[in-house]
Amino acid sequence: MSDNALLSLIIFLPTIGALGLMCFNAKAEEAMRNFALVITAATFVLTLLLLGRFDPAQAGVQLKVLAEWIPNWNVNYFLGVDGISLPLVLLTSLISLLGMLASWSVKKQIRGYLILYLLLETGMLGVFLALDFFLFYVFWEVMLLPMYFLIGIWGGPRREYAAIKFFLYTLAGSVLMLIALLMFYFGSGADRTFDLIRLAEIGQGRVPGVQFSEFVQITAFILLFIGFAIKVPVFPFHTWLPDAHVEAPTPISMILAGVLLKMGGYGILRVAFPICPVGAQYAAYCLVLLGVISILYGAFAAMAQTDFKRLVAYSSVSHMGYVLLGIAVWKLADPNLGTTAGAEYWESGINAAMFQMLAHGISSAGMFFMVGVIYDRVHHRDLNQFGGLMGLMPEYGGLAVGIFFAGLGLPGLCGFIGEVFSVLSAWNYSPLLAILSAAGVILTAGYILWAVQRVYLGPEYKGPHREDITPMNGREASVGYVLLAFAIILGVYPESMFGLMRETNKQLVVNMTEGYENSKKNAPKVSAVTPDLGEGVLFDPIAIPANPGAGALAPAIRGR
Amino acid sequence: MTQTFTILLPQTMLAACACLLILGSAFSVRPRRWGGLALAAVAASALCLAYVSSFSADDWAPDAASSVLVDSISIGYQWMCLGLAALFVLLSHEQAATKTSAEFYALLLFMFSGMMLVGSANELILIFLSLELISVPTYVLLYLGRRDPRSQEAALKYFLLSVLSAAVLLYGFSLLYGLAGTTNLDVIRNILAETYSKSDSAQVAAGGSVLGMVALVLIFAGLGFKVAAVPFHFYAPDVYQGTSAYNAGLLAIIPKAAGLVALIRVASETMVGFETSGERVALILAGITMTGGNCLGLLQSNIRRMLAYSSIAHAGYMLIGVAVGFWDSWNGDLSLDAAGGLPGGVGASLLYLFTYSLATVGLFGVLVYLARPGGRQIEHIDDLTGLVRTHPVMATCAALFLFSLAGVPPLPGFWGKLAVFASALSVRGESPGLFVEMHSGFMILAVVGVLNAAVGAVYYLRVVALMFLNDPVSSPQPSGGKPAFAAVCCSAVLLMGVGIFPTPLFTYLNRGVSQIAPATVRSPAGTLEPRPAAIHGHSVIAVQTQHDR
């Protein structure tokens, strides 16, 4: 299979499956479930093929696919993978497969559910594989609609409120992204482009004659960051998350926590950082601070919950804080020259952030699944009424404790690596913030151990629906075992993921430090020659034409 | 003379058929027959339009003083009008099932004839005439339908305010006539261009003469009523709520489209030397119209009232494009991208109009098709609760239209919004300052615009949520007949098609705006100079043979 076909098939196989579902008899629910499961499994296999073709020793984007989509706007169907996107693509297809296995608990309107689920998978994979900013934006929005309906139709009692809140938060973020997108587009020189790689080169000052000014970089970064921060979610923008996670059905919670939150981090690494190094450096302290606040706030909020699912939801806020912390620990040695201090710490921070995203994808999906399994049996999630489940469901109890420990960050399990490395890399940036974030680790241990104690340990469960408690069935157990296995593999052998992303992240750090130095170097020089070039050229985002006198219609001198 | 008639063939055909219908109504009252005839009239007009558009620009004898014009905008706009006319005739299947059916269709055809005439008019008087050709049948239509006090009030309110706005508009036109001494748009443009290139540039920079500015503001006020821009919008919510869904649909589309095109023809393209003032007026109107419409839309529970505010908000987005159009014409290039890729402000505005009309006709079509049990039309948005269970096709179509209006990609509403915001962000500022690259006014407008898009999504989404996420309380009855159903499905299919493959539309629009050469170019040195007559305005393709006069 050619590279073209492979990447496109990964994205659109679920859509083909969704179309295929329409041919089924509405009564054949079991057949439709199995068909959808086969489709997600096939998608997972395809992403494994992708992994086989990927060369981890190479830093740039590989397996590119390029086709015209809307030539008027120079929008292309441009796909590719690198070390940042590949692990997330694998995570997406894995969690989608496991979520599909968990979807047997969804009972009503199966066909609609499965169709939307598969469309959602297309949207998610599209976001991670798109290298054209416009395509990225379209997939970003495409993913929004199925999610809205999946929460709104199949969710819990307050589903409508949760669905609308989720939709509006994300939409508000994405319209801000739209502005940034257009700013880049009009600033990208005479041959305007949405190509993320080209835009990054322009932002880093590696394209002669075109450069986003500091103003554009800072403004665009703030706009983009708000859009992505809503998705992560970062502290002041997180309020949609507890509602959406709690109301969504179990498999959708798994996807929300396992994949959708990663889009925020991915967007920062793929779009906001490379294109706006100046903006990123400008906001770095704020980002780290917000990360630390999210860690602490999420942990305290989780500790205060009595609803099991809400606790897990707030733990996501806390865990995703480490991602932001790791990404943003970019310290300057000399602000005037723009030289970076301890780039290797920053690089390890980005690696840690990426790893934390993957680890959280596994552990939080697992935690939501474990909550869902018990909710299906006892139909409540009140922590104060649980207790002693270990005795009744030993297999479930064991798996659940394992996965919660992975979330806690127990050494040897996946959560540990990401947390500890992002805290370590933060020390170079600011010891104070590093200490505060390390305190988050203790709080995490606190609320998770307390939850484990209240739910699984103690005297035998006497709460509602005691008689309905049955052991896990084979399907549920397989989801649990797979997640726990991945938690252990990642924890014991983190190199499996670090190996994929190392070169790309190293390149990202090099590019961004150079980009920042370039714009510091260029800024005074350009202003010195400004009088010769004429009015408006100094900070002009539109191409500085090779020949400034090239006619009245040349874009650069159209301003009045 | 013959060429003028050739150009006006499509409009004449519609109007002639309308006259025949009125005559025929004396002999028969069978409603179905008249519907078929009206559809045939639209088809005949489409044939005429196909004939007119088969000419190339070279086939027309040039004349700068022609009263009508042909350009890509007018052709594309007329095709859009005819498409909408066909949809509206289909939708009216049950609406017109009364004794007055022939009159109903005649009025409908008159309105669409007027709507098309705006696109071809190159004369102040012709533009005014075509706007009246829309308004007068509207008054009658509003009275024809229901006879309860509420709809009477709506009709009266619309009548009085519409007459007032016509007077204001006419006053603006007369001042413009006073300024230029002619009613022909091309000639006005030439004269203004000459005047303001000779006078000192300080006055031009300040926005032109006081007389012209007053004319501009009055024209904006008069046409602002047609497009329902804040603060000329007060009639819209009451009238939409008071009248039937069908009439509300007509009001939401026809006057808005005609007003927008008239505004582009008279203000953006013609009033050379007043770009700065026009830009300011349009900027402010756009900002308050979007915000006002969307914020008030949030509070509504009557579906037509909500859609009235939504239509107001959308007028605001279109005005962004108009504002950019002024900037474009000041800069001597109506196309945003000199290399030819994107529609400029005017093009963006027209694209927005198209996407808005497509979604709006469909949405009102759903309301026409459905009725509450007992035959009363849908009033409250709660009447649509759980629609997906009772009418899955209608619910899905309605959701598509609502998402398009909200601007969710890849539906056409998104492309419209994208074009409008892109045109605003492509405008760059006068001097380096805080907002270094972007023109601060347009930058702020774009940000206000996208925030508005998010606010607007709230009330569209509320309707979608009611339709999809709740269980039905009552089941609406299909009352619009099969043709209405077909019309709604047609618009939905068209909507999806345009959404996924927008390229032809962009290509066409870009050609459309690039054919209108603006009157002046701004040279690098900063002086304003008139364009050579040869490439002036529509004169390249505007026609009237020499021996006509």
Side-chain angles (χ1 to χ4, degrees), chain B residues 28 121 215 326:
Chain B
S28 168
F326 280 110

Side-chain angles (χ1 to χ4, degrees), chain A residues 103-120:
Chain A
S103 293
W104 260 259
S105 60
V106 174
K107 302 289 183 213
K108 66 171 183 180
Q109 299 176 50
I110 297 304
R111 189 212 302 261
Y113 171 85
L114 295 174
I115 289 176
L116 289 170
Y117 188 98
L118 291 174
L119 291 178
L120 177 68

Side-chain angles (χ1 to χ4, degrees), chain B residues 98-468:
Chain B
T98 59
K99 279 190 294 190
T100 53
S101 141
E103 286 89 342
F104 177 91
Y105 283 114
L107 295 169
L108 198 64
L109 294 183
F110 274 127
M111 285 171 83
F112 277 101
S113 157
M115 184 184 180
M116 289 166 76
L117 192 56
V118 179
S120 309
N122 196 27
E123 268 275 339
L124 289 179
I125 295 174
L126 203 55
I127 284 182
F128 185 76
L129 182 80
S130 51
L131 291 176
E132 286 304 294
L133 196 52
I134 296 168
S135 298
V136 176
T138 313
Y139 309 144
V140 187
L141 264 188
L142 288 178
Y143 271 113
L144 261 188
R146 301 188 299 166
R147 300 203 182 277
D148 53 288
R150 195 154 217 183
S151 69
Q152 303 275 347
E153 184 199 323
L156 189 65
K157 196 173 240 171
Y158 186 76
F159 173 71
L160 290 176
L161 287 172
S162 175
V163 169
L164 180 69
S165 83
V168 172
L169 179 65
L170 209 50
Y171 193 31
F173 279 1
S174 64
L175 289 181
L176 188 56
Y177 173 75
L179 200 65
T182 173
T183 55
N184 184 288
L185 293 182
D186 276 324
V187 182
I188 294 177
R189 178 177 30 238
N190 284 346
I191 291 173
L192 290 183
E194 208 150 308
T195 315
Y196 287 98
S197 68
K198 281 174 188 161
S199 70
D200 64 330
S201 51
Q203 195 186 16
V204 178
S209 72
V210 175
L211 184 63
M213 278 199 260
V214 173
L216 188 77
V217 169
L218 288 175
I219 289 169
F220 260 102
L223 293 174
F225 174 86
K226 301 279 177 210
V227 302
V230 176
F232 314 106
H233 70 288
F234 287 105
Y235 73 95
D238 292 343
V239 176
Y240 285 35
Q241 187 178 5
T243 186
S244 67
Y246 187 83
N247 288 346
L250 286 175
L251 279 178
I253 292 175
I254 300 183
K256 200 178 292 284
L260 183 73
V261 171
L263 196 60
I264 288 169
R265 292 286 196 217
V266 178
S268 334
E269 289 178 8
T270 305
M271 295 196 64
V272 177
F274 296 92
E275 286 91 349
T276 313
S277 4
E279 189 184 294
R280 280 177 203 151
V281 175
L283 265 175
I284 294 166
L285 271 186
I288 59 175
T289 303
M290 284 186 297
T291 316
N294 276 327
C295 291
L296 291 169
L298 286 176
L299 309 175
Q300 306 309 321
S301 59
N302 179 294
I303 182 90
R304 289 194 304 282
R305 206 173 175 83
M306 190 199 91
L307 289 175
Y309 282 110
S310 131
S311 87
I312 293 168
H314 287 288
Y317 297 112
M318 295 173 206
L319 285 172
I320 298 181
V322 173
V324 180
F326 280 110
W327 186 86
D328 285 338
S329 65
W330 169 282
N331 282 272
D333 178 18
L334 279 177
S335 154
L336 182 148
D337 187 344
L342 310 176
V346 166
S349 196
L350 292 169
L351 175 67
Y352 200 97
L353 174 70
F354 175 73
T355 60
Y356 161 83
S357 306
L358 194 55
T360 306
V361 69
L363 199 52
F364 277 106
V366 172
L367 297 182
V368 168
Y369 180 71
L370 296 174
R372 283 186 291 171
R376 307 272 300 170
Q377 63 175 346
I378 307 267
E379 291 286 342
H380 201 272
I381 53 172
D382 288 344
D383 293 340
L384 295 171
T385 306
L387 191 65
V388 71
R389 308 285 155 71
T390 51
H391 297 277
V393 177
M394 281 295 120
T396 312
C397 291
L400 277 178
F401 300 134
L402 287 165
F403 280 128
S404 177
L405 287 176
V408 174
L411 293 168
F414 169 70
W415 299 112
K417 286 208 168 67
L418 180 73
V420 165
F421 297 144
S423 71
L425 285 178
S426 72
V427 175
R428 271 151 310 106
E430 306 168 23
S431 54
L434 175 59
F435 294 95
V436 204
E437 295 84 7
M438 314 293 170
H439 185 293
S440 50
F442 283 103
M443 173 82 189
I444 292 168
L445 193 64
V447 173
V448 170
V450 293
L451 292 179
N452 261 296
V455 173
V458 177
Y459 56 85
Y460 297 127
L461 205 60
R462 207 166 58 200
V463 181
V464 176
L466 274 177
M467 291 193 301
F468 280 81

Side-chain angles (χ1 to χ4, degrees), chain A residues 271-497:
Chain A
V271 182
F273 262 49
I275 304 183
C276 315
V278 176
Q281 174 54 43
Y282 176 81
Y285 194 85
C286 177
L287 262 58
V288 175
L289 191 64
L290 283 176
V292 173
I293 293 175
S294 297
I295 293 170
L296 297 176
Y297 174 86
F300 277 120
M303 212 174 268
Q305 302 307 318
T306 54
D307 182 317
F308 198 9
K309 209 170 180 185
R310 236 182 154 76
L311 178 143
V312 177
Y314 274 109
S315 83
S316 287
V317 177
S318 176
H319 284 142
M320 291 305 284
Y322 289 101
V323 173
L324 199 61
L325 177 74
I327 288 177
V329 287
W330 179 7
K331 190 177 186 179
L332 288 184
D334 182 348
N336 295 323
L337 294 175
T339 45
T340 299
E344 66 278 12
Y345 294 108
W346 183 30
E347 191 194 322
S348 100
I350 290 182
N351 280 328
M354 276 294 300
F355 195 89
Q356 173 71 1
M357 285 205 264
L358 301 170
H360 178 256
I362 299 289
S363 67
S364 71
M367 289 195 276
F368 275 115
F369 178 68
M370 290 303 159
V371 174
V373 167
I374 193 64
Y375 180 74
D376 286 345
R377 286 166 175 70
V378 301
H379 305 288
H380 76 87
R381 294 185 301 251
D382 187 352
L383 281 169
N384 294 326
Q385 294 190 38
F386 281 124
L389 289 177
M390 190 70 102
L392 289 171
M393 304 168 70
E395 189 186 19
Y396 165 72
L399 282 172
V401 169
I403 283 173
F404 275 89
F405 279 175
L408 179 155
L410 196 70
L413 293 170
C414 61
F416 174 70
I417 310 285
E419 287 181 17
V420 90
F421 279 99
S422 50
V423 171
L424 286 181
S425 59
W427 183 268
N428 172 54
Y429 187 75
S430 158
L432 172 69
L433 293 178
I435 291 169
L436 284 175
S437 58
V441 177
I442 298 167
L443 291 173
T444 309
Y447 68 77
I448 285 193
L449 287 176
W450 193 27
V452 165
Q453 185 196 352
R454 282 188 287 175
V455 177
Y456 299 104
L457 309 178
E460 192 171 285
Y461 178 69
K462 297 230 167 35
H465 300 279
R466 163 81 175 73
E467 62 288 353
D468 293 341
I469 293 186
T470 50
M472 293 175 104
N473 61 30
R475 186 178 47 74
E476 289 169 336
S478 62
V479 176
Y481 279 116
V482 170
L483 284 169
L484 186 60
F486 273 101
I488 295 172
I489 293 169
L490 290 186
V492 175
Y493 186 57
E495 182 61 20
S496 57
M497 287 297 136

